Amino acid sequence: MTILAALASPPSGTASIESADLRQHLVGHRLYALVDRPERLRWFMEHHVFAVWDFQSLLKALQGRLTCTSLPWIPSADREARRLINEIVLDEESDALPDGGYASHFEVYLEAMQRAGADTSAIGRLLETIRGGAALADALDEAGVPPAAAAFVRRSFAVIDDGSTAAIAAAFTYGREDVIPDMFRRIVTTLADADPVRWQRFRFYLERHIEHDDAHHGPACRRIVARLCGDDPATWAEASTAARRCLEARLSLWDAVAEGIDRGLADAPAGGRARDRTRARTSST
């Protein structure tokens, strides 16, 4: 049983989450058939990296709600949820690398982009702008983030800023973690005959996510959401809304990436795409 299927049958008397339809649209999206050669994989990565990045922010927001990250320290209320989220943070923020050392999955993804020849200038500018003290909304505009990716990040942070702990957990679990294995298995298949040197880091990232999500993170996240929602129909309804909105945001991002491939944008050199975004950013200021 998938996480969403389990969540569709919560404890007696509670509301249900009806997101399986969106999930089916997502895992059956036409994008996967289009990402069939290196330049299109690079185009995909140049958009998807922002989802990889804001995934970490959803995770840390959830950790902040379920543990104590302020001083003086006091024990948080839910001991099991505290343990589960800290285990996920360890994997996602400080995973062991195959060649030694540790890195977040975002950093692994960024290295994979660099090795594959994908354009990392927009995500690099975003991080530098935020480090410089800019608000996220301003940083997204100034960095020249692809519009669809920027819209995706804004949707994620709307949940972080305005949602309850249950909503954040549902967004993280059902809008993100649970759907990742199905999406990435399709991409791993397209990499099977690709250049192993160029794509080795990307393949490691994908396979690592599949391994973590199927074996541990998915079940752990489901337990967290169930503990947060309990027998309260209103909380289940809020979690359902958050899950659906995150799935809808992912579908919109995938639609945009697929449309870019249809228009031939993925076939342009990475540097040319970066210059186009820079010109667009400059003309709007």
Side-chain angles (χ1 to χ4, degrees), residues 97-143:
L97 299 176
D99 46 358
Y102 304 92
S104 69
H105 285 179
F106 168 74
E107 290 166 313
V108 173
Y109 199 96
L110 203 57
E111 291 175 6
M113 291 182 67
Q114 292 164 346
R115 296 187 185 191
D119 175 24
T120 62
S121 60
I123 185 65
R125 284 193 299 267
L126 179 66
L127 296 179
E128 286 304 312
T129 304
I130 292 172
R131 287 191 185 105
L136 177 63
D138 296 332
L140 288 168
D141 291 335
E142 294 174 18

Side-chain angles (χ1 to χ4, degrees), residues 38-173:
E39 59 270 22
R40 293 181 174 186
L41 283 170
R42 286 189 282 268
W43 173 258
F44 170 86
M45 295 173 82
E46 290 164 13
H47 289 75
H48 181 238
V49 65
F50 295 96
V52 176
W53 173 73
D54 81 355
F55 173 89
Q56 300 286 344
S57 293
L58 276 170
L59 173 61
K60 298 301 285 188
L62 191 55
Q63 185 187 34
R65 298 289 187 95
L66 297 176
T67 71
C68 180
T69 57
S70 60
L71 297 175
W73 178 87
I74 56 173
S76 54
D78 192 324
R79 298 178 182 181
E80 182 176 354
R82 183 200 313 162
R83 171 72 184 199
L84 293 172
I85 196 63
N86 281 336
E87 288 179 351
I88 295 171
V89 169
L90 177 63
D91 288 338
E92 294 288 349
E93 195 173 30
S94 305
D95 202 4
L97 299 176
D99 46 358
Y102 304 92
S104 69
H105 285 179
F106 168 74
E107 290 166 313
V108 173
Y109 199 96
L110 203 57
E111 291 175 6
M113 291 182 67
Q114 292 164 346
R115 296 187 185 191
D119 175 24
T120 62
S121 60
I123 185 65
R125 284 193 299 267
L126 179 66
L127 296 179
E128 286 304 312
T129 304
I130 292 172
R131 287 191 185 105
L136 177 63
D138 296 332
L140 288 168
D141 291 335
E142 294 174 18
V145 176
F152 183 91
V153 171
R154 291 188 181 99
R155 290 284 291 273
S156 296
F157 274 84
V159 176
I160 291 171
D161 293 338
D162 301 325
S164 67
T165 305
I168 296 172
F172 182 81
T173 303

Side-chain angles (χ1 to χ4, degrees), residues 220-274:
C221 288
R222 181 173 71 240
R223 287 163 62 187
I224 291 172
V225 172
R227 293 178 71 84
L228 291 171
C229 292
D231 295 324
D232 182 8
T235 307
W236 280 104
E238 184 178 11
S240 176
T241 297
R244 289 191 65 86
R245 285 177 177 171
C246 282
L247 288 169
E248 289 167 352
R250 177 78 71 166
L251 279 168
S252 296
L253 178 59
W254 268 203
D255 287 343
V257 176
E259 289 167 7
I261 293 174
D262 290 339
R263 293 164 56 195
L265 299 178
D267 298 326
R273 296 197 293 272

